[in-house]
Amino acid sequence: MALFARRPVAPLEYTRKTWMRLWVGATLVFLYAPLLVLMVFSFNDSKRNVAWKGFTLKYYEKALNNDTLVEALVNSLTIAALATVVSVILGALAGVMLWRFRFPLKGAVEGVMSLPIIVPEICMGVAMLIFFAKVDWPTDLPWPLNLSAITIAHITFCFPFVAMVVRSRMASFNREQEEAAKDLGASEWATFRDILLPHMKPGLVAGALLAFTLSLDDFVITFFTSGPDTITFPVKVYSMVRFSVTPEVNAASTILILLTIALTAVALKLQGVKGIAETH
Amino acid sequence: MSEADPIIQIRGVTKRFGKHTAVDNVSLDIKSGEFFVLLGPSGCGKTTLLRMIAGFELPTEGQILIDGQDMAGIPPNKRPVNMVFQSYAVFPHMSVAENVGYGLKIAGVGRAERDERVREALQLVSLGGFEDRKPDQMSGGQRQRVALARSLVMRPKVLLLDEPLSALDAKLRAQMQFELSDLQDKVGITFVTVTHDQDEALSMASRIAVMNKGDIAQLASPSDLYEYPANRFVADFVGSVNVFEGKLTLDEPDRAAVECPGLGKVYLNHGVTGPHGADVWIALRPEKIYLHVPGEGKAIRAAGQDAPEDHNLARGVIKGMSYLGDITLYEIKLDNGAMIRVSRPNLSRHDQEHFTWDDRVSMHWRADSPVVLLG
Amino acid sequence: MSLQDWKQHRRPFAAIASAPLFWLVLFFLVPMGIVWLYSFGQNSGPADIAITGTLDNYKRATEWLYLSIFGKSLAVAALVTLICLIIGFPVAMAITFAAEKWRPWLLLAIMLPFWTNLLIRTYALMMLMGSNGYANRGLGALWDGASWLKTLVGLQPLEAWAPVPLLYNNFAVVLGLVYVHLPFMVLPLYSALDRLDKSLIEASLDLGAGHFRTLTKIVVPLAGPGIAAGVMITLIPALGAYLTPDLMGGTDSQMIANVIERQFKRANDWPFGAALSFLLIYAMFILVAIQSLRGDRKKEAR
């Protein structure tokens, strides 16, 4: 007790109980220690990730001079950006549709809309593989059109997430605001632009961040959809990990982790720490 | 233990949340069998004080004794008090009987006795026959009765009630005020209630502690609180009041006078024991001011003869009135520019038509009506 | 506020609904439909599949080999879920009752790994668990410490520490899945606990119950739907996990997703792979149906 508590612990202050703190601390160590070790060893001047031999940036240099790795990273970011834009549009429309209208088979549409979320990735990947093979989707297109199959697959599993976020955001919308705008003379379009859209915005931002991370994160579906010449970052890292564990992978991974942290920081700036906590 | 022994003793209790002091060095005794009310605006520390008695918050400084025993280090589940929560906190996944029997079950009371006591407790709060209902099939008022029964069945030494009536509608609230007083009479348990509603406090309490910014502003019986407020905060918070600044010009054992630039000369038929020439405030309740057509006033007051010629008199013009059914409230602009509120009972159906907007009126009040406040 | 009927607002409805519905049908339902049809087909040439309506693929899926892999996948997923629940529940409790200013940061700390690339996290864990990794070294240090303690009380020292194989076995798969899925469990648990009226807990304590009794009689029953959601959110992806068993598992720790992958990438038996895929999807449906049935019954009971 004396370790942390300066004043006595009140009954509901579970977080101030020592065993609780140790538990949370141990969990955070479990979650973060592997990532931290990975990042630290990306600067290690040794081929093996075992003992610290001194600081170096040479694996970063190596990673950045590895053309296929850089290409894979550029591909991944391009796919994520495209998939995010389309997913936010489709997701916003779908979210508004489900929030706003009553229509036949609504329950079924809602169910199908949630399927891409619950169907295992491997099954989606298989379906995409078979689909693009069946329709003979061209694989030899110039960049960035060669990424179209992967992008389409990513949009398919990202936009239902955006729809979910937007819909739950819209649930807190007071429809009287809309009526008030119309009462004051606003047209349908002006009402949408001035009243609905501003309310939807936090949902759109959260949805966009979610779509971007999901797309950047995806390995399985991409693994099945990518042609022989189109490679994404996770697919590239996968083959590197499969064949050898080298500090180069550490360096590449560290770059992506830093990218994730930067994205989180952007989200923090846009929504505030409370906003993030609420939207997820 | 005699009736007058304090069941709860609060000794120099302070509670700080970070830099904010919620309760500031409060000491008070609550007597056995009292209906004690902690009254104050939101954020005054009354709920924190109640929760410290229950054991959910721990005092930063000071000591709380229940039935002579120091409560430091004793968790809520070992204290001889029970609480009725503001949200009632009726367990939604349990039936009414399971809710009321929960504490007894934990205390290891046998099935037969438990059922009997649950039945009695429900009878006590007029919920006999509701044993098998689920809380979500009940109204807010009924859920509150369940919460009451659940606490009373434990036969606590003290029952703590946190804003017990705030979630009820006005009619039900008035009814529950009577029922709670009645219940307390019946079971003889000490009740400690927190409320921000002065009507509730005045109608139920045997004693009231008015709290302000973590401090006790006044501790008195309801009628004393209303008729003899100790300071401007209490005068203003409990009931409606006109307050005027003034100077004490006369102070003898059986009479006193105050010069108020706003109101005129105020005469009192008792002493106030304040320093001569001191800055004081006069508090005058709207219902204690007589309203009449100019000229008529002197004649009426002459019969009373309780103040010198030019004291306790004012004139003005009605600038606003609101008809409230039982009374009519007038806003009157005095000749020297100050505003004063006067209420008048509507003793007959068309009483309110005597006075209307822009009428010139004169006012007087009895020499025992004004209260002199030193702070 | 009631919903608008699409018939009275045909044009706005069409403008809003057509694009997402079109996408969903063309790029989700159609591909899934093709998979479903393929599961009733057979290879008729090196690159041709004839849909003959045969049930052979499903028959083959009921062979002991595949049934046992299905069973094992389910067992691993269930174990992972249980471990996540045991670790995650106190964490969710701690976040719920943390001070106002700490709560969002704690949540962020749980969510940040969840946003980090799955592959990278798996790789990071593998690095620690290699035979020369830090996990093994830590265990070695503990072993040596124990050995030293034994000599201290005059007993024979323990044998010299030999690194234990932490990777490429079933243990590694379970640990890896727990590592990856823990945030999935904590977040729904937290949101369920956060919604819980704190005065219910106080009322229970006030009526004489201790913390443990309050937990089992009040908190767990009331957070039930949130616990169920957390279980589902962990169980479903764990059941379909591909990457973790692929990278961290040994030859005997293949899960169903790895078998499916093999049909497409190596064995080139698409119809069989399609049948296995749909069996996995049906398993998901059953899990989701069980959960929603429980939810419905709760609603009816009210």
Side-chain angles (χ1 to χ4, degrees):
Chain A
M1 276 305 161
L3 191 56
F4 298 103
R6 269 154 290 145
R7 57 194 171 82
V9 178
L12 251 57
E13 291 182 304
Y14 291 114
T15 315
R16 292 188 59 236
K17 299 200 166 151
T18 306
W19 78 266
M20 248 339 196
R21 293 190 165 194
L22 291 176
W23 191 276
V24 173
T27 305
L28 290 179
V29 167
F30 173 56
L31 285 176
Y32 282 95
L35 292 173
L36 286 178
V37 170
L38 178 145
M39 288 167 82
V40 168
F41 275 90
S42 71
F43 299 104
N44 187 18
D45 193 4
S46 160
K47 264 220 173 300
R48 298 177 63 208
N49 286 316
V50 180
W52 182 257
K53 292 274 163 61
F55 182 85
T56 178
L57 285 174
K58 76 174 176 211
Y59 293 105
Y60 284 87
E61 211 182 307
K62 235 175 139 182
L64 291 174
N65 285 327
N66 183 336
D67 286 341
T68 55
L69 191 63
V70 172
E71 189 197 325
L73 187 61
V74 171
N75 280 349
S76 272
L77 291 173
T78 313
I79 292 166
L82 289 173
T84 301
V85 170
V86 180
S87 295
V88 165
I89 296 169
L90 286 178
L93 289 172
V96 170
M97 168 183 87
L98 291 173
W99 163 69
R100 187 78 188 245
F101 293 101
R102 187 171 52 226
F103 50 89
L105 294 176
K106 185 171 178 177
V109 171
E110 270 180 277
V112 173
M113 190 80 82
S114 64
L115 276 184
I117 299 174
I118 56 168
V119 162
E121 280 187 305
I122 185 88
C123 300
M124 276 259 314
V126 164
M128 289 296 164
L129 171 70
I130 294 180
F131 174 74
F132 286 116
K134 187 87 185 165
V135 299
D136 267 332
W137 196 270
T139 52
D140 51 355
L141 296 168
W143 195 91
L145 291 177
N146 60 350
L147 306 175
S148 55
I150 302 175
T151 310
I152 286 170
H154 282 200
I155 292 165
T156 304
F157 74 77
C158 286
F159 95 86
F161 281 96
V162 180
M164 229 167 53
V165 174
V166 168
R167 189 190 186 184
S168 70
R169 171 70 196 168
M170 289 318 288
S172 68
F173 180 71
N174 176 2
R175 287 278 283 274
E176 283 181 4
Q177 284 183 30
E178 202 183 331
E179 291 173 336
K182 286 193 179 148
D183 183 64
L184 294 167
S187 66
E188 195 81 42
W189 165 244
T191 310
F192 175 77
R193 186 195 53 205
D194 298 338
I195 310 296
L196 266 161
L197 206 57
H199 184 83
M200 204 190 295
K201 210 173 125 193
L204 295 180
V205 172
L209 288 166
L210 192 61
F212 195 84
T213 5
L214 284 172
S215 168
L216 207 57
D217 194 23
D218 180 73
F219 165 73
V220 175
I221 294 172
T222 315
F223 188 49
F224 280 90
T225 345
S226 59
D229 306 321
T230 49
I231 200 155
T232 67
F233 189 78
V235 173
K236 175 72 190 164
V237 171
Y238 174 77
S239 62
M240 288 165 85
V241 172
R242 274 257 79 160
F243 296 113
S244 61
V245 173
T246 66
E248 204 180 326
V249 184
N250 290 27
S253 301
T254 305
I255 292 173
L256 202 67
I257 292 174
L258 292 178
L259 194 70
T260 310
I261 293 174
L263 264 178
T264 310
V266 170
L268 273 178
K269 232 190 158 91
L270 287 176
Q271 297 180 287
V273 67
K274 277 211 176 116
I276 290 187
E278 274 155 24
T279 44
H280 290 273
Chain B
M1 189 178 70
S2 85
E3 277 288 292
D5 279 338
I7 184 86
I8 295 178
Q9 298 169 60
I10 294 169
R11 291 183 184 160
V13 164
T14 295
K15 174 70 185 179
R16 283 186 211 99
F17 294 104
K19 280 187 184 137
H20 171 67
T21 305
V23 174
D24 191 5
N25 195 15
V26 164
S27 296
L28 69 96
D29 285 354
I30 297 172
K31 285 176 251 161
S32 188
E34 266 197 300
F35 198 130
F36 194 88
V37 172
L38 290 163
L39 174 67
S42 66
C44 70
K46 56 190 190 301
T47 299
T48 306
L49 192 57
L50 192 78
R51 289 171 58 81
M52 284 194 284
I53 298 172
F56 295 117
E57 308 284 357
L58 304 174
T60 314
E61 283 160 29
Q63 206 183 16
I64 294 174
L65 287 84
I66 299 177
D67 205 10
Q69 195 193 350
D70 188 352
M71 286 292 125
I74 297 185
N77 45 343
K78 302 274 191 287
R79 295 192 181 196
V81 298
N82 284 107
M83 182 143 161
V84 174
F85 290 83
Q86 186 172 10
S87 66
Y88 314 144
V90 174
F91 305 131
H93 58 303
M94 296 183 189
S95 70
V96 167
E98 284 168 334
N99 259 288
V100 177
Y102 181 79
L104 294 177
K105 197 170 163 188
I106 281 163
V109 175
R111 180 86 205 216
E113 191 194 339
R114 198 163 75 217
D115 286 352
E116 180 55 27
R117 278 171 69 176
V118 167
R119 211 179 48 78
E120 266 171 33
L122 286 173
Q123 216 96 63
L124 194 65
V125 296
S126 332
L127 277 182
F130 280 69
E131 279 84 350
D132 296 327
R133 291 272 191 107
K134 275 286 183 83
D136 51 8
Q137 299 166 328
M138 307 183 93
S139 69
Q142 289 172 325
R143 278 210 289 275
Q144 177 176 47
R145 287 160 194 264
V146 174
L148 263 171
R150 188 175 68 179
S151 295
L152 287 173
V153 82
M154 303 300 291
R155 297 177 187 154
K157 290 191 170 130
V158 179
L159 184 69
L160 308 170
L161 301 103
D162 185 7
E163 298 271 4
L165 307 177
S166 65
L168 303 178
D169 62 53
K171 266 260 164 63
L172 201 53
R173 185 153 51 202
Q175 187 199 334
M176 276 312 281
Q177 282 174 20
F178 285 112
E179 282 195 28
L180 276 179
S181 311
D182 212 39
L183 194 64
Q184 200 251 348
D185 263 357
K186 245 191 268 175
V187 297
I189 293 171
T190 311
F191 278 28
V192 180
T193 296
V194 153
T195 181
H196 64 276
D197 183 315
Q198 39 143 330
D199 290 340
E200 214 171 288
L202 293 177
S203 75
M204 299 188 300
S206 50
R207 277 199 309 158
I208 299 173
V210 181
M211 290 188 69
N212 181 31
K213 293 180 186 155
D215 238 342
I216 292 187
Q218 189 174 0
L219 176 60
S221 71
S223 60
D224 281 0
L225 207 60
Y226 189 83
E227 302 297 349
Y228 304 103
N231 47 51
R232 278 181 294 155
F233 176 80
V234 173
D236 192 46
F237 189 76
V238 181
S240 160
V241 74
N242 297 292
V243 177
F244 294 94
E245 241 184 294
K247 267 201 171 26
L248 197 58
T249 52
L250 175 73
D251 188 11
E252 289 172 10
D254 60 341
R255 63 204 178 112
V258 178
E259 278 282 345
C260 291
L263 188 62
K265 292 176 177 161
V266 177
Y267 178 84
L268 299 105
N269 60 1
H270 56 83
V272 293
T273 60
H276 187 80
D279 289 326
V280 294
W281 288 267
I282 286 291
L284 195 50
R285 301 268 184 209
E287 77 278 7
K288 293 193 168 56
I289 300 172
Y290 296 84
L291 199 61
H292 23 232
V293 181
E296 197 183 288
K298 265 188 186 161
I300 292 172
R301 218 194 52 171
Q305 284 288 346
D306 68 348
E309 187 66 4
D310 53 343
H311 286 70
N312 293 2
L313 262 180
R315 292 184 186 79
V317 176
I318 297 178
K319 285 293 173 197
M321 56 184 280
S322 37
Y323 171 69
L324 301 177
D326 51 346
I327 59 163
T328 303
L329 197 64
Y330 298 92
E331 291 251 327
I332 295 163
K333 187 171 189 180
L334 298 175
D335 289 351
N336 55 28
M339 297 298 290
I340 191 167
R341 271 170 300 163
V342 178
S343 69
R344 190 166 174 275
N346 295 324
L347 297 173
S348 74
R349 273 199 179 156
H350 301 284
D351 242 356
Q352 81 279 9
E353 291 162 14
H354 276 303
F355 300 99
T356 187
W357 281 274
D358 294 331
D359 278 359
R360 265 199 78 75
V361 289
S362 65
M363 289 146 273
H364 86 269
W365 52 92
R366 296 168 53 96
D368 58 359
S369 294
V371 179
V372 175
L373 304 172
L374 299 171
Chain C
M1 200 64 207
S2 68
L3 299 170
Q4 291 179 347
D5 193 43
W6 74 292
K7 277 192 209 126
Q8 273 132 46
H9 303 85
R10 273 172 202 269
R11 277 176 52 196
F13 179 72
I16 287 170
S18 52
L21 289 182
F22 173 79
W23 191 284
L24 200 61
V25 170
L26 183 62
F27 293 120
F28 183 70
L29 286 185
V30 168
M32 292 314 271
I34 297 174
V35 179
W36 189 73
L37 287 176
Y38 271 21
S39 72
F40 299 103
Q42 56 194 58
N43 281 327
S44 59
D48 280 320
I49 289 158
I51 293 157
T52 55
T54 174
L55 290 174
D56 284 353
N57 298 313
Y58 288 99
K59 235 177 256 164
R60 198 176 144 204
T62 56
E63 282 170 20
W64 173 245
L65 173 67
Y66 299 107
L67 274 186
S68 68
I69 290 177
F70 243 112
K72 186 177 175 185
S73 302
L74 204 57
V76 166
L79 181 63
V80 166
T81 307
L82 183 68
I83 297 173
C84 283
L85 186 61
I86 292 169
I87 300 178
F89 197 88
V91 174
M93 277 291 265
I95 299 176
T96 310
F97 291 96
E100 196 75 38
K101 62 177 176 186
W102 284 105
R103 206 175 311 150
W105 293 105
L106 279 170
L107 271 179
L108 193 68
I110 297 294
M111 277 189 293
L112 194 58
F114 166 69
W115 289 334
T116 308
N117 196 296
L118 177 67
L119 190 59
I120 292 178
R121 295 170 62 204
T122 310
Y123 168 65
L125 198 60
M126 286 170 73
M127 230 180 83
L128 275 192
M129 288 167 57
S131 54
N132 278 317
Y134 279 81
N136 241 319
R137 289 210 216 164
L139 287 174
L142 279 181
W143 183 268
D144 291 343
S147 172
W148 179 73
L149 277 179
K150 275 185 96 177
T151 55
L152 211 64
V153 292
L155 292 170
Q156 284 294 311
L158 295 166
E159 303 158 37
W161 168 253
V164 285
L166 292 174
L167 263 184
Y168 311 119
N169 52 30
N170 291 326
F171 166 79
V173 173
V174 171
L175 186 82
L177 287 173
V178 167
Y179 180 65
V180 165
H181 290 106
L182 189 57
F184 287 91
M185 179 63 93
V186 174
L187 296 178
L189 283 181
Y190 162 74
S191 76
L193 290 174
D194 192 47
R195 264 191 305 245
L196 195 73
D197 182 357
K198 305 291 173 289
S199 59
L200 291 172
I201 298 173
E202 292 182 338
S204 174
L205 294 175
D206 187 66
L207 292 165
H211 287 282
F212 184 72
R213 197 96 76 118
T214 301
L215 193 70
T216 54
K217 294 224 158 158
I218 307 295
V219 179
V220 170
L222 287 174
I227 294 172
V231 164
M232 282 299 145
I233 268 180
T234 314
L235 189 64
I236 287 176
L239 182 55
Y242 168 76
L243 199 60
T244 312
D246 183 61
L247 288 176
M248 297 180 78
T251 46
D252 69 330
S253 31
Q254 296 300 292
M255 287 173 69
I256 189 68
N258 307 99
V259 179
I260 293 174
E261 188 260 358
R262 208 179 306 133
Q263 306 312 315
F264 286 91
K265 292 253 162 172
R266 270 159 275 184
N268 209 21
D269 189 351
W270 290 21
F272 182 53
L276 287 176
S277 292
F278 259 87
L279 286 175
L280 182 57
I281 292 174
Y282 293 145
M284 303 290 157
F285 283 171
I286 291 170
L287 288 176
V288 172
I290 291 171
Q291 198 210 357
S292 61
L293 265 183
R294 282 192 39 177
D296 284 350
R297 213 181 311 145
K298 279 241 169 82
K299 258 180 230 155
E300 266 168 40
R302 283 176 186 172

